[in-house]
Amino acid sequence: MQHLIRTSDFSKEEILNIFDDAREFLKSDSNEILKGKLIVTLFFENSTRTRSSFEIAAKRLGAEVVSLDVGTSSTSKGETIFDTVANINAMRPDAIIIRHSECGLPESLAGYVDCPIINAGDGKHAHPTQALLDLFTIYEHFNGQTEGKKIAIVGDVRTSRVAGSNRRLLPTFGIDVCFIAPECFKYEGNDFKQYDKISEVIDELDIIMSLRTQLERHSEVYFESLNEYAKDYCITSEVMGNRDIILLHPGPVNRNVDISDEMLKDPRSKVLTQVTNGVAIRAAVLKKLILK
């Protein structure tokens, strides 16, 4: 039984095969390869893009999707998440997609199921399909020539599961990762270069990934307002200049805090391309795990 808990669950060859399938899915709106399959989504945290992306991907492959309302589920009556998932498993779904605020929870549930579990985000730990779609967006833009490219991940690196998954995945494709953040949001490690200001490294970059400032994940107030943070870390046309750098963001974007309105309209912004690619990548992941 293969699950997708973190990006390292797939080898480089498997990821390239997923990319091949994703390209095919981008060419057509639908097919029926998962007809008769049932996929359950179980989101204990709010989600628009990831949840709808998975559901659209599944339906385009002909699968049925059951989205459970966790607010009215038995967990609100005192049932453990392990019992909830065991009961869902007893209904014989073909895959369970789960998002939860607790780091490591999707992995701990693997022993309670007979179908693949796909991690749609667990706490500050990992968001593997987001990292895969980010890499795919980069890979396609550079025609597979990712070796030696450099990316700066900007913003709330400390609490970002997207940053966590990307710092583990991107170097396996030869991409040099660095972080740009204020002291309060810095990555708690010394295995990647870190900078205080975008200007310190921007002339070396091929890619910038901006992150949402996740104030809800911090117990302290570090900025009086998001506008104060934006003065130094918002990606604007002035910051980018005429440099040949592509701009990514996992969404949702705080406009004029993470990225300016003007830059979101700039051809170098690949934010909506990421969304399109996300459906194709998630379709490819579902195909791989369910039909294996």
Side-chain angles (χ1 to χ4, degrees):
M1 178 67 60
Q2 188 173 18
H3 307 284
L4 178 57
I5 306 300
R6 55 181 64 82
T7 55
S8 59
D9 290 333
F10 290 159
S11 68
K12 187 171 182 178
E13 181 181 2
E14 287 176 309
I15 290 170
L16 290 173
N17 289 336
I18 285 171
F19 288 1
D20 288 339
D21 281 338
R23 288 187 200 99
E24 292 303 311
F25 293 141
L26 284 171
K27 294 176 185 176
S28 70
D29 288 336
S30 62
N31 64 51
E32 296 292 304
I33 62 170
L34 294 187
K35 186 175 177 62
K37 303 297 184 181
L38 179 64
I39 296 166
V40 173
T41 63
L42 195 56
F43 279 65
F44 288 87
E45 285 188 321
N46 292 334
S47 171
T48 300
R49 283 155 201 76
T50 302
R51 183 170 181 167
S52 59
S53 182
F54 267 116
E55 292 179 1
I56 290 169
K59 290 179 180 181
R60 283 185 175 170
L61 298 184
E64 295 293 326
V65 179
V66 175
S67 299
L68 297 184
D69 183 351
V70 296
T72 58
S73 74
S74 294
T75 54
S76 65
K77 303 174 183 177
E79 182 177 73
T80 69
I81 181 64
F82 300 98
D83 285 332
T84 297
V85 169
N87 276 274
I88 293 169
N89 181 67
M91 301 175 197
R92 301 175 65 185
D94 295 285
I96 297 173
I97 301 165
I98 184 166
R99 169 174 287 192
H100 201 280
S101 61
E102 183 179 330
C103 296
L105 183 68
E107 182 173 24
S108 66
L109 293 172
Y112 292 79
V113 299
D114 303 306
C115 66
I117 283 183
I118 300 172
N119 180 8
D122 61 328
K124 304 173 187 178
H125 173 238
H127 195 347
T129 59
Q130 180 67 47
L132 287 170
L133 75 88
D134 294 338
L135 173 60
F136 181 64
T137 303
I138 296 167
Y139 193 89
E140 294 300 277
H141 179 79
F142 292 108
N143 297 312
Q145 304 302 307
T146 57
E147 191 72 33
K149 301 301 181 188
K150 185 165 185 173
I151 183 172
I153 301 178
V154 181
D156 192 359
V157 176
R158 179 172 296 181
T159 64
S160 173
R161 54 192 170 210
V162 175
S165 284
N166 272 297
R167 69 177 166 81
R168 290 184 283 267
L169 175 63
L170 299 185
T172 66
F173 281 75
I175 299 171
D176 181 12
V177 177
C178 68
F179 299 126
I180 303 170
E183 196 63 38
C184 55
F185 292 161
K186 282 190 183 299
Y187 165 61
E188 296 174 315
N190 55 15
D191 47 337
F192 292 89
K193 288 184 179 179
Q194 301 200 66
Y195 301 91
D196 297 311
K197 304 292 183 182
I198 299 171
S199 58
E200 295 177 56
V201 72
I202 192 166
D203 288 326
E204 303 173 19
L205 301 178
D206 302 286
I207 311 126
I208 291 178
M209 178 183 293
S210 176
L211 300 173
R212 183 174 69 85
T213 304
Q214 301 182 87
L215 298 180
E216 73 275 10
R217 294 188 184 275
H218 293 275
S219 57
E220 298 180 49
V221 177
Y222 296 111
F223 294 95
E224 290 183 9
S225 70
L226 287 175
N227 288 334
E228 182 188 354
Y229 165 86
K231 289 176 184 177
D232 292 320
Y233 298 99
C234 183
I235 310 301
T236 65
S237 57
E238 289 77 20
V239 168
M240 292 283 279
N242 61 0
R243 297 175 179 87
D244 185 17
I245 300 174
I246 61 170
L247 177 59
L248 308 179
H249 194 296
V253 177
N254 285 326
R255 283 177 172 265
N256 301 307
V257 174
D258 307 332
I259 303 174
S260 69
D261 288 337
E262 186 177 6
M263 275 311 305
L264 284 170
K265 297 175 183 177
D266 191 287
R268 291 170 291 179
S269 171
K270 306 300 176 185
V271 175
L272 292 181
T273 302
Q274 289 173 271
V275 176
T276 300
N277 288 343
V279 175
I281 285 290
R282 289 174 174 123
V285 167
L286 290 171
K287 174 190 171 184
K288 172 177 175 53
L289 294 180
I290 293 173
L291 295 186
K292 187 169 183 178

